[in-house]
Every structure is written in structure tokens, then in C-alpha cells.
């Protein structure tokens, strides 16, 4: 079973930071891959750097045709489009969790400014995280957290170079290997 995220609707330079956040949120909250419809060197490098330092095998990929990708994905799983126009997550999350329990793959589509109308038709579920406009990062985070019931927050990455020790105060981190002074400086 895999959970992937497809990011549509990039708006050039001004979306670089939020697109990076979309990728990092996908990884941190349990998805195994992020797919973009364009090659953005900055977003790709930032994502890969996090994986290199913090572990796991999260993948960054670019699709030539998002529609083709979605249609192919539907042969091996379900597609969920996050949109403020959709059905409430509160009403639909149990049905979606059943798909997950049955071992089905899940592709989550999130937009930028405006997604193509076809997205609503191609998706098996159009899901809203409330019916107010907000952010793709917030919508994705809430959706993944509800899907995995908070469990991915405890995910351990044995191959990560850095591991945080949750503390009441201050910053505690250990290094999996010796001699990463450049990382210690950043913590
Ligand atoms: N008009 C857009 C819409 O259809 O949701 C809002 C654009 S918002 C800047 C960018 C993306 O954030 C949307 O494409 C959607 O994936 C996500 N998003 C924003 N608000 C949402 C909400 N209330 N529920 C689910 N997703 C939302």
C-alpha cells in the first residue's frame, strides 16, 4: 500500500517555498512520494536534502501528464482530491480508511490557485477540510493526520543522521553517526 501526493497548479517563483512545504509535509505525515507537474530544482534539492539528513525513502518525482498518471493510478488504488468544494472529511474519513485497511493505494491531489475542472471528475472522492478557503499545506496535513490517526507522528527513521529527543525545554538531538558538525551547528 502506498500513499502519494500529486501537486497541481504551481505558480512559478512565488510558489517555491509553499511547494517545498507541501513536499516536507507529505513526507513527515506519512506519504511515500510527492509528484509535481514541473521540474523545480530548488524544491527537489530541498526535499532530497531533508531525506538525506533525516532518513527514509521519500521520493520526489515529476509527471509528464498528470491526467495519464491519475488514470493509471486508478487501476491500482483510489484518488482523493482535496478541495473546499468537496464533501466534508468528517463524513467521509471512515470510508476512506476502509480503503487503506484493504491495502489499497491512495493518491491525494492538492491544487494551487485553480485546479482543472477534470480533477473533480477523475477523483473518486472530492474532500473538503471545512468549506472555507485556506492552504494546501494545511489541508494536506489535516487529511494525512486523520487518515493515519496521528500514528505517523511517531515514525522513526533508523537511517536518519539526526534524531530529536522530545524535551520540555531546549533542543536535544543526537546524531546517528559521528562527526556531523555542520548539522549540529544548524540545530
Ligand atoms: N479555490 C480553491 C479550492 O478549490 O479549494 C482554493 C485554492 S487554495 C489556495 C489551494 C489548494 O488548497 C486547493 O486546490 C486545495 O487542494 C487546498 N484547499 C484549500 N482550502 C481547502 C479546504 N477548505 N478543503 C480542502 N482543501 C483545501
Amino acid at each position: 500500500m502506498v500513499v502519494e501526493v500529486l501537486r497541481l497548479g504551481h505558480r512559478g517563483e512565488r510558489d517555491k517555498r509553499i511547494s517545498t512545504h507541501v513536499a516536507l509535509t507529505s513526507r513527515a505525515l506519512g506519504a511515500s512520494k510527492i509528484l509535481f507537474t514541473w521540474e523545480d530544482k530548488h524544491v527537489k534539492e530541498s526535499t532530497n536534502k531533508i531525506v538525506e539528513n533525516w532518513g527514509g525513502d521519500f521520493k520526489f518525482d515529476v509527471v509528464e501528464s498528470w491526467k495519464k498518471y491519475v488514470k493509471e493510478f486508478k487501476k491500482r488504488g483510489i484518488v482523493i482530491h482535496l478541495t473546499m468544494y468537496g464533501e466534508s472529511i468528517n463524513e467521509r474519513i471512515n470510508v476512506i480508511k476502509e480503503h487503506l485497511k484493504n491495502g489499497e493505494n491512495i493518491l491525494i491531489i492538492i491544487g494551487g490557485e485553480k485546479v482543472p475542472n477534470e480533477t473533480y471528475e477523475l477523483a473518486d472522492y472530492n474532500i473538503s477540510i471545512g468549506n472555507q478557503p485556506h492552504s494546501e499545506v494545511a489541508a494536506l496535513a489535516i487529511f494525512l493526520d486523520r487518515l493515519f490517526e496521528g500514528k505517523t507522528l511517531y515514525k522513526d527513521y533508523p537511517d536518519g543522521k539526526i534524531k530529536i529527543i522530545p524535551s520540555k525545554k531546549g533542543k536535544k538531538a543526537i546524531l546517528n553517526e559521528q562527526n556531523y558538525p555542520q548539522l549540529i551547528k544548524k540545530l
Side-chain angles (χ1 to χ4, degrees), residues 7-8 11 81-86 109-115 120 127-137 139-140:
R7 159 82 154 137
L8 299 179
R11 293 166 291 183
H81 171 217
L82 296 182
T83 166
M84 65 178 180
Y85 300 104
I109 305 179
I110 50 164
E113 198 170 18
K114 193 174 187 296
V115 297
Y120 296 83
I127 298 294
S128 63
I129 313 295
N131 299 112
Q132 303 297 315
H134 48 83
S135 136
E136 50 269 49
V137 179
L140 179 64

Side-chain angles (χ1 to χ4, degrees), residues 91-102:
E91 311 302 329
R92 285 308 211 174
I93 193 65
N94 286 340
V95 180
I96 294 168
K97 281 202 282 203
E98 277 306 308
H99 289 284
L100 192 70
K101 273 185 206 142
N102 294 338

